[in-house]
Amino acid sequence: MTPASRRVGAAAALLLALVLAAVAAPWIAPEDPTRQDLAATLAPPSRGHLLGQDKLGRDILSRVLHGGRVSLIVGLATVASSLVVGGAVGAVAGYAGGWLDDLLMRVVDVLLAFPGLLLAIALTAVLGASVQNVVLALCLIGWTGYARLTRGEVHRLRSREFVEAARALGAPDRRILWRHVVPLLTAPLLVQATFGMAGAIVAEASLSFLGLGAQPPTASWGAMLNDGRAFLLVAPHLTIFPGLAITLAVLALNFLGDGLRDLLDVRPATDLWR
Amino acid sequence: MTRLALRRVFLALPTIVAAATLVFLLVHVVPGDPVDVMLGESAAPADREALRHALGLDRPLLTQYGAFLTGLATGDLGRSLVSGEPVARLVAERVPATLELTLGALVVAIVIALPLGVLAAARPGTWIDRAAVAFALLGAAMPSFWLGPLLIIGFAIELHVLPVSGRGGLAHLVLPACTLGLGMSAILTRMTRASVLECVGEDYVRTARAKGVGRVGVLARHALANALAPVVTILGLQFGALLAGTVITETIFAWPGVGRLTVEGIQARDYPVLQGCILVIAAGFVLASTLADVVNAALDPRTRPGAPEVR
Amino acid sequence: MLCVLSCRGAAPPVPPGTLVVALESAPAILDPRYTTDANSSLVSALVTRGLTRVNERAEAGPDLAEAWQQPAPLEYRFTLRADATFADGTPLTATDVVATYRSVLDPALRSPKREALAAVADVVAADPRTVVVRLHATTAAFLETANLGILPAALAHHGPLPREEVVGAGPFRVVGTLPDGGVELAAAAASMDGTPALPRVRFRVIPDGTVRALELASGSVHLVQNALEPDLLPWLARRPDLELVISPGTTFQYLGMNFRDPRLADRRVRQALAYALDREAMVHRLLRDTARPATGLLPPSHWAYAGDVAAYPHDRTRATALLAESGLGPDARAAARRFSYKTSTVELRRRIAEVFQDELGMIGLSVDVRSYEWATFYADVRRGDFQLYALAWVGVADPDVYYRIFHSSMRPPQGNNRGAYANATMDALLEAARATLDREERRRLYAEVQRLAADDLPVIPLWWADNVVVKSRRLTGFVPAPDGDLRSLATARLEER
């Protein structure tokens, strides 16, 4: 086993554990995550409630488990949709060049130049706050990053010798794009996507800060972190555990992407130093 | 090089106008009425109508848009609906604060990310690599609305070495710049590491390595320069994201910047102020990404227009 | 580069002896003719004075006017204090009062206070110290609205004055604005009741609640009023340099319902909701006893308060029975037992919403909580686009406000009857109360109004929020007012460390 595959294995195992915990939340959570107990608000971790109780006396462990469902789905859905839209637009722009490139990149620029937060607020104001709309808003903001990255890479690859050679041999554009360019895009996009998923999980939290994330009583890590923020001074356990969950997910995602990148790298001799 | 820069700046203008148009449409589509916010609830319906008329809010949307564009062309951003003050002045007062915060964050991010990224790339797969990346990631894993108060509690309340919030001297800048910069250092570290590693696989680096140039020498002389291209692109993009991302940091740290003004504009449905803010943010972003492109072109001769086109 | 930037537009250093007050939003307007939000009104009231001043029982007392008579039902004659002066030392005369009132009445200047003074026909100066106000119609509420801050005649001809240009007869004067939207005041040397001991008062805008608490803890903010998370209060109170002062307040928190929804037009459903909500527990657990369960809009300190009204103690059995009676029992369709509840995005509001959701769930109702950014939420409430919502009435002075919120003709945009409540008895009572000037008769009629409101539940009263002040122990002589007024800063001082 190479170090890279071992790393992928470890990160994937951690991520899988988080995903499994989230999927199995309804069965393994010790309590209903919405069950309130106003007599025990902000109670610290105890035998009955391993991670303590929140501002409304709800079991934090159960909420962290259930919250993972929302946070992970938001992350996954956001990245998937952004990647598809951004990757396609970027590849077309980068490969076609010329006016199409200019036009598409101007659209990207306009959206990139536009404060995403405002877009999110506008969207949720019109459509109402919900998990679906959070994904929509994050995708609307997020796809442009992938588009620019893809376009830059394609642009760079287009003038590479092997692409020029393929073109000189009369290969059709689509084939060049799929056979020669797209495989080389995987690594940088994967790096971006793992970050993107981590970023989306954190961004969902930021939208929660504005009150625009998951709606009560649904728990998400971001919403828990935001709800608990007011109690940082008196009950830090409200934020430590969802914060830890986010951190773990972000770390796992990044190490996974990192390892995958090394594993999938088609180019030889990455281990030049050895 | 100059031609590219000029071309980009020329292309940037429609981008800014388009962004302004987008915000114009957006603020008029979103529910909420500035007159409600301004007059409160006790005003008579006739007074509401009169105010709406005086503000020009009863005109057709297209007419309002025309007036907005005319104002834009003549450099007149209008007046705040709330305070009646000129928008240009309100925004101009806030720009230095946001610029200071953003540059501060950029410095924090670069100071953390470049050494960490190169260090990680120099020893890929080792514990140094993983520790460097993990460290950088912690910043990204903590939303600023949580990290900010934690830093305040640590440095301002427990240690008493820095002020809690507000804008003043350099001491006031440290915590907000770190809050904003730490989040960005992760992506920058990651990008630096990835692109340095990628360059390591390129032929010219291998050649140099084969010729017996040392590890650090290769990194410094060959890999880093080429690795910088995507890093600079990300920097350019991140600068824009930072400008927009200041909203939360500015809210937490009571930092009187454009981000905060944008939020206030949204809350009061103060359309002219909102439009002015977006315009400035958009312009700042376009400027930064243009700069990134130009720098990139300087680093990589192949992306220069005028380089032999293969068709 | 950073240094250069730092020096531009940063807040000036705090001069020694300055009292620093943290607000959650900017006092954007100081011109008393245009203030609509609470923070603007608070700061404006430190800079200006009106003819009258509303006391803690919500009665009008003297301020610039030392006395007044009512020679005819439609005429008031105010006598100004002989020593009335503006902060710059120029005497304040009847001319200034007339100019200020006329500017508010001038439709061209579009003051939001015009409607409140709609009963005023004309204001004239009989002599430099006598102001005569003539009314179109009898209104018992006129004296309470006569607290409008007076500006110099020369300034009153223009529309909203920029904050730096506002000059009044208050104990403080404006020295400048801060880049964060805050404002800095200085003691007015020519103040009528002696120069305040506080040389300067700085109002900083700190939007985040946790940071306001941390600033208090760090000692760089000396006073925060009604803008702190209840759960942080014990932590703040434990700090040796801080002091927690809680006193009864007048802000009335209520649950609004839409009568356009036939289910909510059924009184039994409204009563079921009232019984289902455990207000005692919410006040104790969520608000940490910084509020008192309310019986109605008017707080007990109000002169027209009537406490002998129907109460709704927490009673789930009764709530369930009432629901069943009205056809919303367990056999009703799920859609019929579902309500939407709108709230703003403020954390505490959302938390309250979650408790409502839980408690209404216990009696078989499912509640969709939707939080909206403030302007959207407010627009929806005004439009009548809601089923349930929670909001507060702030600064209730004259009980005539009942007319604007419960009279059937007062649906928005005319008034504030957002839920479209209509009750002929209520209408008749409110019209009668509005038409009489006799204090005892009004008290009797408004007692009827309060009893009817408690029976019929046009809104469900939740609680009166206390006035919660956390201040530095160095600040002495500050007495919090029930309505949050900060005027006692005029006689407060900040001790040396």
Side-chain angles (χ1 to χ4, degrees), chain C residues 344-372:
Chain C
S344 70
T345 51
V346 176
E347 226 277 307
L348 185 61
R349 298 268 158 271
R350 283 163 46 98
R351 204 177 311 156
I352 290 166
E354 286 182 79
V355 177
F356 285 172
Q357 188 176 43
D358 194 56
E359 290 185 331
L360 296 182
M362 303 272 193
I363 60 163
L365 299 178
S366 72
V367 176
D368 289 326
V369 174
R370 292 267 165 250
S371 65
Y372 291 89

Side-chain angles (χ1 to χ4, degrees), chain C residues 170-173 186-199 489-493:
Chain C
F172 294 93
R173 64 187 170 83
S191 179
M192 295 154 55
D193 294 322
T195 310
L198 287 170
L489 284 180
T491 50
R493 57 176 65 245

Side-chain angles (χ1 to χ4, degrees), chain C residues 272-496:
Chain C
L273 296 185
Y275 280 120
L277 300 179
D278 188 353
R279 286 168 292 175
E280 298 277 350
M282 271 188 264
V283 163
H284 181 56
R285 307 285 183 189
L286 277 189
L287 304 175
R288 303 286 171 196
D289 298 314
T290 59
R292 290 155 303 148
T295 52
L297 172 68
L298 302 181
S301 63
H302 197 283
W303 63 264
Y305 168 76
D308 54 336
V309 302
Y312 299 85
H314 182 51
D315 188 342
R316 213 169 275 155
T317 327
R318 207 146 160 199
T320 318
L322 280 163
L323 272 189
E325 248 178 72
S326 65
L328 296 186
D331 332 320
R333 283 176 307 117
R337 285 184 280 119
R338 174 176 293 271
F339 287 93
S340 86
Y341 174 101
K342 291 191 176 178
T343 177
S344 70
T345 51
V346 176
E347 226 277 307
L348 185 61
R349 298 268 158 271
R350 283 163 46 98
R351 204 177 311 156
I352 290 166
E354 286 182 79
V355 177
F356 285 172
Q357 188 176 43
D358 194 56
E359 290 185 331
L360 296 182
M362 303 272 193
I363 60 163
L365 299 178
S366 72
V367 176
D368 289 326
V369 174
R370 292 267 165 250
S371 65
Y372 291 89
E373 181 260 334
W374 169 254
T376 307
F377 169 64
Y378 188 59
D380 281 357
V381 166
R382 278 196 61 85
R383 265 211 319 271
D385 182 8
F386 60 84
Q387 288 178 339
L388 303 172
Y389 74 93
L391 209 60
W393 286 107
V394 182
V396 172
D398 194 89
D400 189 48
V401 68
Y402 268 122
Y403 186 86
R404 291 190 61 81
I405 59 183
F406 288 161
H407 194 276
S408 59
S409 70
M410 283 289 132
R411 298 179 189 190
Q414 268 74 31
N416 303 324
N417 183 359
R418 298 135 170 178
Y421 171 66
N423 179 320
T425 317
M426 181 65 90
D427 285 358
L429 280 172
L430 291 172
E431 284 157 25
R434 173 165 253 225
T436 177
L437 288 177
D438 180 68
R439 188 60 170 279
E440 280 317 304
E441 180 64 4
R442 292 187 79 207
R443 196 196 300 271
R444 193 187 64 75
L445 286 166
Y446 282 119
E448 283 295 311
V449 168
Q450 288 169 74
R451 275 189 285 273
L452 179 56
D455 282 334
D456 206 29
L457 293 174
V459 299
I460 295 177
L462 296 176
W463 48 76
W464 298 293
D466 282 339
N467 201 37
V468 178
V469 168
V470 175
K471 67 177 194 63
S472 162
R473 288 193 185 273
R474 290 169 56 208
L475 175 67
T476 56
F478 172 73
V479 185
D483 59 356
D485 182 53
L486 294 176
R487 274 279 277 275
S488 78
L489 284 180
T491 50
R493 57 176 65 245
L494 194 63
E495 310 292 344
E496 291 297 317

Side-chain angles (χ1 to χ4, degrees), chain A residues 102-121:
Chain A
D102 274 344
L103 180 76
L104 288 174
M105 283 304 106
R106 287 301 78 75
V107 173
V108 167
D109 279 352
V110 170
L111 278 174
L112 270 176
F114 202 85
L117 212 59
L118 177 63
L119 218 56
I121 292 177

Side-chain angles (χ1 to χ4, degrees), chain B residues 4-86:
Chain B
L4 174 74
L6 281 177
R7 195 172 105 96
R8 286 306 315 263
V9 169
F10 181 73
L11 281 171
L13 286 177
T15 307
I16 296 172
V17 173
T21 304
L22 192 60
V23 71
F24 178 86
L25 285 175
L26 221 53
V27 294
H28 285 90
V29 163
V30 168
D33 184 347
V35 172
D36 275 352
V37 183
M38 287 167 77
L39 286 185
E41 286 201 277
S42 53
D47 287 344
R48 282 174 198 285
E49 281 318 306
L51 180 61
R52 199 166 276 124
H53 180 72
L55 296 173
L57 294 172
D58 56 349
R59 295 175 298 170
L61 204 60
L62 213 59
T63 318
Q64 290 187 52
Y65 180 58
F68 166 61
L69 281 190
T70 317
L72 209 60
T74 55
D76 177 13
L77 296 177
R79 282 169 177 274
S80 159
L81 298 182
V82 174
S83 65
E85 290 176 52

Side-chain angles (χ1 to χ4, degrees), chain B residues 46 54-55 58 69 73 87 101 153 161 177 258 262 268 280:
Chain B
L55 296 173
D58 56 349
L69 281 190
V87 170
L101 178 57
I153 293 172
V161 287
V258 181
T262 311
V280 165

Side-chain angles (χ1 to χ4, degrees), chain B residues 31-32 36 38-39 41-42 44 47-48 51 54 94 100 152 157 164-167 251-252 254 256 260 267 269, chain C residues 5-6 8-11 36 110 114-115 179-180 204-205 207 211 214-215 218 373 375-376 378 382 404 416 418:
Chain B
D36 275 352
M38 287 167 77
L39 286 185
E41 286 201 277
S42 53
D47 287 344
R48 282 174 198 285
L51 180 61
R94 302 290 190 105
E100 176 185 320
I152 297 177
I157 302 296
V164 174
S165 73
R167 182 166 178 244
T251 302
I252 297 285
R260 190 66 214 134
Q267 283 166 349
R269 295 293 187 265
Chain C
L5 284 170
S6 296
R8 285 192 46 212
T36 51
R110 289 190 300 274
R114 196 165 81 93
E115 180 67 14
D180 66 2
R204 280 187 60 191
V205 179
V211 175
L214 291 172
E215 284 282 18
S218 81
E373 181 260 334
T376 307
Y378 188 59
R382 278 196 61 85
R404 291 190 61 81
N416 303 324
R418 298 135 170 178

